[in-house]
Amino acid sequence: IVVALFDKNVQNNEEHNLAVESTIGNSSYQHSKINQWMSGIVESSLSQLTKLGKPFKYIVTCIILQKNGAGLHTASSCFWDNSTDGSCTVRWENKTIYCIVSVFGLAI
Amino acid sequence: MSDLAKEKAARLLKKRGSLSSLGSHEVRAKEAFAKTKDSISTVSYMEEPGHHDDIPRPAVQMENTYQLRPARRFPVLTVKDILKDVLTSYLQEEKYEPELCRQMTKTISEVVKARVKDLMIPRYKIIVIISIGQIRDQNMRMGSRCLWDETNDNFSSHTFKNSSLFATATVYGVYFE
């Protein structure tokens, strides 16, 4: 299960990058499109994770933020089994948008 | 071009989302820069020092409990009250300041986790996520989607706002079969 978690982490990184890039790509911030992007990112991440076929429950969180000079702090604290569960975060930005995607994987 | 990358890296480090846990775990950020035309993405994950041991810890074998359902469900409303309580008590009078809020997110997440654990709901794993941000006429959207068992697992969240900052707290409770 430890090995499975490591694979998951490594794969998470690449796949998340891909999922986010493919959905947002080069667009600048558009209020009307935000909903679409968010659902797109989260759903494609989740579907790629399920394709891995590992015995995990997943929680995918996405924050999309307009670049405006404002600050943001995020923290998470988890009560789980350290040897089998883990999390992974991808931060993505372009000229007008910040996007933070986190995945938590909990073993069944 | 590399100077620009270094500047962005410095800014990203200031905005790093942090993971805090009860044990003394190292948070090592493996930064992998993928430069496409206008965007930079970085990836980080939490590494446990234990995983580097030569002898891997064997996975814990759990016996069958023959339980089909959890004894007690995740109490959504109680947890929401806890979140409301903690957020208002910690943030009522605060103004947004980078250093203060960095500490505050970590403290609040630990406090919320401790209080939810005090509820003593057996066999539930808890994930607490806190975000504190400055209000500056910007737009922001947070979304989350979960792949879990609808009947047993649940989540609860609350948002707090004052004149200079906003805070979001989300607690996910996942049943461990």
Side-chain angles (χ1 to χ4, degrees):
Chain A
I1 298 181
V2 171
V3 175
L5 190 62
F6 257 77
D7 283 350
K8 173 192 90 118
N9 275 336
V10 169
Q11 269 167 329
N12 273 346
N13 304 350
E14 297 153 11
E15 281 164 18
H16 284 169
N17 259 319
L18 286 177
V20 175
E21 299 261 340
S22 61
T23 322
I24 307 191
N26 289 321
S27 0
S28 32
Y29 185 89
Q30 272 169 275
H31 184 61
S32 48
K33 295 252 182 77
I34 279 283
N35 257 331
Q36 255 180 315
W37 288 339
M38 169 145 309
S39 329
I41 294 173
V42 169
E43 285 180 15
S44 64
S45 296
L46 207 44
S47 54
Q48 282 175 345
L49 286 169
T50 46
K51 275 195 218 151
L52 296 176
K54 303 253 166 66
F56 280 101
K57 288 183 180 173
Y58 295 106
I59 297 177
V60 179
T61 319
C62 172
I63 301 177
I64 298 189
L65 189 56
Q66 197 183 2
K67 271 199 196 179
N68 201 355
L72 175 73
H73 294 269
T74 312
S76 79
S77 165
C78 309
F79 177 60
W80 59 25
D81 184 347
N82 252 331
S83 54
T84 56
D85 307 325
S87 68
C88 169
T89 315
V90 174
R91 255 171 286 128
W92 185 97
E93 73 174 278
N94 71 8
K95 289 211 195 102
T96 50
I97 310 180
Y98 277 119
C99 177
I100 304 172
V101 183
S102 318
V103 178
F104 298 88
L106 303 162
I108 297 184
Chain B
M1 194 54 193
S2 64
D3 279 333
L4 193 58
K6 275 189 210 146
E7 267 176 44
K8 284 197 177 168
R11 246 187 292 143
L12 272 177
L13 280 175
K14 282 191 207 139
K15 277 198 173 209
R16 174 179 301 209
S18 64
L19 293 169
S20 73
S21 59
L22 272 183
S24 56
H25 288 140
E26 261 176 59
V27 178
R28 235 186 287 153
K30 288 258 171 88
E31 311 262 344
F33 278 97
K35 260 192 254 176
T36 53
K37 276 203 201 137
D38 292 302
S39 61
I40 291 188
S41 69
T42 61
V43 174
S44 61
Y45 55 96
M46 191 172 89
E47 267 195 25
E48 275 86 285
H51 284 172
H52 292 290
D53 284 347
D54 285 331
I55 308 164
R57 230 180 337 145
V60 175
Q61 296 279 9
M62 298 261 179
E63 281 187 2
N64 281 333
T65 60
Y66 300 104
Q67 257 181 347
L68 290 176
R69 278 175 230 102
R72 268 176 62 202
R73 288 248 149 72
F74 188 69
V76 179
L77 291 175
T78 319
V79 172
K80 188 166 165 84
D81 284 332
I82 294 182
L83 292 178
K84 226 187 287 190
D85 200 22
V86 172
L87 285 180
T88 40
S89 66
Y90 273 85
L91 295 174
Q92 191 65 52
E93 295 305 324
E94 305 290 343
K95 282 193 68 63
Y96 180 86
E97 272 148 44
E99 271 318 308
L100 172 71
C101 288
R102 184 178 311 180
Q103 272 315 114
M104 198 61 91
T105 42
K106 296 188 206 168
T107 321
I108 295 184
S109 71
E110 290 294 332
V111 167
V112 172
K113 187 176 70 169
R115 284 183 68 168
V116 176
K117 273 167 74 174
D118 283 340
L119 294 175
M120 295 266 261
I121 308 158
R123 300 181 72 91
Y124 265 88
K125 294 183 181 171
I126 312 284
I127 297 179
V128 179
I129 303 181
I130 311 282
S131 302
I132 300 189
Q134 187 183 14
I135 294 188
R136 249 235 211 171
D137 278 342
Q138 88 275 23
N139 246 321
M140 176 174 143
R141 191 164 273 270
M142 290 198 201
S144 103
R145 197 151 301 209
C146 313
L147 179 70
W148 58 23
D149 184 352
E150 193 41 46
T151 49
N152 295 336
D153 306 322
N154 217 325
F155 79 99
S156 165
S157 79
H158 186 255
T159 326
F160 168 82
K161 197 168 97 147
N162 74 11
S163 52
S164 68
L165 57 77
F166 69 91
T168 317
T170 315
V171 178
Y172 297 94
V174 181
Y175 182 63
F176 176 64
E177 293 178 30

